[in-house]
PDB file of all heavy atoms in Angstrom:
ATOM      1  N   MET A 200      97.637  75.576  82.333  1.00 96.00           N
ATOM      2  CA  MET A 200      98.631  74.651  83.038  1.00 96.00           C
ATOM      3  C   MET A 200      97.853  74.173  84.205  1.00 96.00           C
ATOM      4  O   MET A 200      97.197  74.966  84.925  1.00 96.00           O
ATOM      5  CB  MET A 200      99.805  75.493  83.647  1.00 96.00           C
ATOM      6  CG  MET A 200     100.642  76.157  82.577  1.00 96.00           C
ATOM      7  SD  MET A 200     102.109  76.869  83.426  1.00 96.00           S
ATOM      8  CE  MET A 200     101.410  77.971  84.444  1.00 96.00           C
ATOM      9  N   PRO A 201      97.999  72.948  84.464  1.00 94.00           N
ATOM     10  CA  PRO A 201      97.409  72.366  85.573  1.00 94.00           C
ATOM     11  C   PRO A 201      98.096  72.844  86.854  1.00 94.00           C
ATOM     12  O   PRO A 201      99.307  72.973  86.928  1.00 94.00           O
ATOM     13  CB  PRO A 201      97.614  70.928  85.569  1.00 94.00           C
ATOM     14  CG  PRO A 201      98.702  70.689  84.689  1.00 94.00           C
ATOM     15  CD  PRO A 201      98.814  71.883  83.757  1.00 94.00           C
ATOM     16  N   GLU A 202      97.282  73.183  87.919  1.00 91.00           N
ATOM     17  CA  GLU A 202      97.809  73.553  89.224  1.00 91.00           C
ATOM     18  C   GLU A 202      98.528  72.298  89.913  1.00 91.00           C
ATOM     19  O   GLU A 202      97.807  71.325  89.830  1.00 91.00           O
ATOM     20  CB  GLU A 202      96.819  74.239  90.046  1.00 91.00           C
ATOM     21  CG  GLU A 202      97.357  74.999  91.324  1.00 91.00           C
ATOM     22  CD  GLU A 202      96.692  74.543  92.551  1.00 91.00           C
ATOM     23  OE1 GLU A 202      95.431  74.500  92.688  1.00 91.00           O
ATOM     24  OE2 GLU A 202      97.471  74.205  93.493  1.00 91.00           O
ATOM     25  N   GLY A 203      99.611  72.559  90.460  1.00 84.00           N
ATOM     26  CA  GLY A 203     100.184  71.472  91.191  1.00 84.00           C
ATOM     27  C   GLY A 203     101.738  71.470  91.133  1.00 84.00           C
ATOM     28  O   GLY A 203     102.283  72.088  90.177  1.00 84.00           O
ATOM     29  N   ILE A 204     102.353  70.789  92.003  1.00 79.00           N
ATOM     30  CA  ILE A 204     103.798  70.805  92.228  1.00 79.00           C
ATOM     31  C   ILE A 204     104.305  69.362  92.316  1.00 79.00           C
ATOM     32  O   ILE A 204     105.483  69.124  92.553  1.00 79.00           O
ATOM     33  CB  ILE A 204     104.374  71.716  93.220  1.00 79.00           C
ATOM     34  CG1 ILE A 204     103.729  71.387  94.582  1.00 79.00           C
ATOM     35  CG2 ILE A 204     104.211  73.119  92.898  1.00 79.00           C
ATOM     36  CD1 ILE A 204     104.384  72.139  95.734  1.00 79.00           C
ATOM     37  N   ASP A 205     103.393  68.373  92.152  1.00 84.00           N
ATOM     38  CA  ASP A 205     104.000  67.038  92.033  1.00 84.00           C
ATOM     39  C   ASP A 205     103.392  66.357  90.943  1.00 84.00           C
ATOM     40  O   ASP A 205     102.313  66.629  90.515  1.00 84.00           O
ATOM     41  CB  ASP A 205     103.847  66.216  93.377  1.00 84.00           C
ATOM     42  CG  ASP A 205     102.366  65.813  93.613  1.00 84.00           C
ATOM     43  OD1 ASP A 205     101.957  64.927  93.018  1.00 84.00           O
ATOM     44  OD2 ASP A 205     101.839  66.417  94.442  1.00 84.00           O
ATOM     45  N   LYS A 206     104.131  65.303  90.283  1.00 87.00           N
ATOM     46  CA  LYS A 206     103.917  64.724  89.141  1.00 87.00           C
ATOM     47  C   LYS A 206     102.609  64.036  89.135  1.00 87.00           C
ATOM     48  O   LYS A 206     101.780  64.221  88.132  1.00 87.00           O
ATOM     49  CB  LYS A 206     104.986  63.701  88.786  1.00 87.00           C
ATOM     50  CG  LYS A 206     106.320  64.311  88.332  1.00 87.00           C
ATOM     51  CD  LYS A 206     107.236  63.226  87.917  1.00 87.00           C
ATOM     52  CE  LYS A 206     108.673  63.575  88.144  1.00 87.00           C
ATOM     53  NZ  LYS A 206     109.705  62.577  87.848  1.00 87.00           N
ATOM     54  N   SER A 207     102.125  63.293  90.145  1.00 87.00           N
ATOM     55  CA  SER A 207     100.965  62.602  90.139  1.00 87.00           C
ATOM     56  C   SER A 207      99.755  63.602  90.063  1.00 87.00           C
ATOM     57  O   SER A 207      98.753  63.319  89.336  1.00 87.00           O
ATOM     58  CB  SER A 207     100.804  61.751  91.325  1.00 87.00           C
ATOM     59  OG  SER A 207     100.911  62.402  92.553  1.00 87.00           O
ATOM     60  N   GLN A 208      99.754  64.646  90.823  1.00 88.00           N
ATOM     61  CA  GLN A 208      98.652  65.680  90.797  1.00 88.00           C
ATOM     62  C   GLN A 208      98.559  66.223  89.492  1.00 88.00           C
ATOM     63  O   GLN A 208      97.455  66.406  88.906  1.00 88.00           O
ATOM     64  CB  GLN A 208      99.126  66.747  91.801  1.00 88.00           C
ATOM     65  CG  GLN A 208      97.943  67.588  92.249  1.00 88.00           C
ATOM     66  CD  GLN A 208      98.503  68.628  93.185  1.00 88.00           C
ATOM     67  OE1 GLN A 208      99.701  68.948  93.163  1.00 88.00           O
ATOM     68  NE2 GLN A 208      97.571  69.104  94.088  1.00 88.00           N
ATOM     69  N   LEU A 209      99.611  66.548  88.791  1.00 89.00           N
ATOM     70  CA  LEU A 209      99.672  67.128  87.484  1.00 89.00           C
ATOM     71  C   LEU A 209      99.106  66.083  86.502  1.00 89.00           C
ATOM     72  O   LEU A 209      98.322  66.550  85.602  1.00 89.00           O
ATOM     73  CB  LEU A 209     101.020  67.504  87.084  1.00 89.00           C
ATOM     74  CG  LEU A 209     101.671  68.686  87.820  1.00 89.00           C
ATOM     75  CD1 LEU A 209     103.147  68.977  87.484  1.00 89.00           C
ATOM     76  CD2 LEU A 209     100.819  70.021  87.729  1.00 89.00           C
ATOM     77  N   LYS A 210      99.530  64.927  86.483  1.00 91.00           N
ATOM     78  CA  LYS A 210      98.926  63.845  85.608  1.00 91.00           C
ATOM     79  C   LYS A 210      97.337  63.639  85.691  1.00 91.00           C
ATOM     80  O   LYS A 210      96.682  63.564  84.854  1.00 91.00           O
ATOM     81  CB  LYS A 210      99.606  62.474  85.993  1.00 91.00           C
ATOM     82  CG  LYS A 210     100.916  62.314  85.364  1.00 91.00           C
ATOM     83  CD  LYS A 210     100.984  61.976  83.808  1.00 91.00           C
ATOM     84  CE  LYS A 210     102.333  62.128  83.200  1.00 91.00           C
ATOM     85  NZ  LYS A 210     102.318  62.980  82.006  1.00 91.00           N
ATOM     86  N   GLU A 211      97.041  63.702  87.064  1.00 92.00           N
ATOM     87  CA  GLU A 211      95.529  63.599  87.263  1.00 92.00           C
ATOM     88  C   GLU A 211      94.831  64.826  86.651  1.00 92.00           C
ATOM     89  O   GLU A 211      93.714  64.492  85.976  1.00 92.00           O
ATOM     90  CB  GLU A 211      95.384  63.613  88.857  1.00 92.00           C
ATOM     91  CG  GLU A 211      94.474  62.760  89.496  1.00 92.00           C
ATOM     92  CD  GLU A 211      93.978  61.464  88.750  1.00 92.00           C
ATOM     93  OE1 GLU A 211      94.858  60.590  88.454  1.00 92.00           O
ATOM     94  OE2 GLU A 211      92.856  61.428  88.332  1.00 92.00           O
ATOM     95  N   ARG A 212      95.318  65.965  86.830  1.00 92.00           N
ATOM     96  CA  ARG A 212      94.590  67.104  86.148  1.00 92.00           C
ATOM     97  C   ARG A 212      94.656  67.188  84.666  1.00 92.00           C
ATOM     98  O   ARG A 212      93.872  67.662  83.977  1.00 92.00           O
ATOM     99  CB  ARG A 212      95.169  68.392  86.813  1.00 92.00           C
ATOM    100  CG  ARG A 212      94.703  68.570  88.229  1.00 92.00           C
ATOM    101  CD  ARG A 212      94.912  69.820  88.935  1.00 92.00           C
ATOM    102  NE  ARG A 212      94.166  69.943  90.145  1.00 92.00           N
ATOM    103  CZ  ARG A 212      94.642  70.473  91.245  1.00 92.00           C
ATOM    104  NH1 ARG A 212      95.715  71.065  91.301  1.00 92.00           N
ATOM    105  NH2 ARG A 212      93.723  70.500  92.325  1.00 92.00           N
ATOM    106  N   GLU A 213      95.832  66.560  84.176  1.00 94.00           N
ATOM    107  CA  GLU A 213      96.040  66.619  82.649  1.00 94.00           C
ATOM    108  C   GLU A 213      94.869  65.780  81.989  1.00 94.00           C
ATOM    109  O   GLU A 213      94.433  66.192  80.942  1.00 94.00           O
ATOM    110  CB  GLU A 213      97.341  65.905  82.352  1.00 94.00           C
ATOM    111  CG  GLU A 213      97.615  65.806  80.927  1.00 94.00           C
ATOM    112  CD  GLU A 213      98.908  65.273  80.412  1.00 94.00           C
ATOM    113  OE1 GLU A 213      99.730  64.956  81.446  1.00 94.00           O
ATOM    114  OE2 GLU A 213      99.129  65.058  79.238  1.00 94.00           O
ATOM    115  N   LYS A 214      94.359  64.758  82.684  1.00 95.00           N
ATOM    116  CA  LYS A 214      93.291  63.909  82.174  1.00 95.00           C
ATOM    117  C   LYS A 214      92.138  64.661  81.708  1.00 95.00           C
ATOM    118  O   LYS A 214      91.472  64.353  80.770  1.00 95.00           O
ATOM    119  CB  LYS A 214      92.870  62.815  83.163  1.00 95.00           C
ATOM    120  CG  LYS A 214      93.963  61.728  83.343  1.00 95.00           C
ATOM    121  CD  LYS A 214      93.251  60.722  84.314  1.00 95.00           C
ATOM    122  CE  LYS A 214      94.475  59.767  84.672  1.00 95.00           C
ATOM    123  NZ  LYS A 214      94.209  59.083  86.030  1.00 95.00           N
TER     124      LYS A 214
END
Side-chain angles (χ1 to χ4, degrees):
M200 297 188 299
E202 193 233 310
I204 51 171
D205 72 73
K206 288 185 204 174
S207 58
Q208 196 179 25
L209 294 174
K210 281 278 166 229
E211 220 23 67
R212 288 186 166 145
E213 180 180 354
K214 285 183 194 158

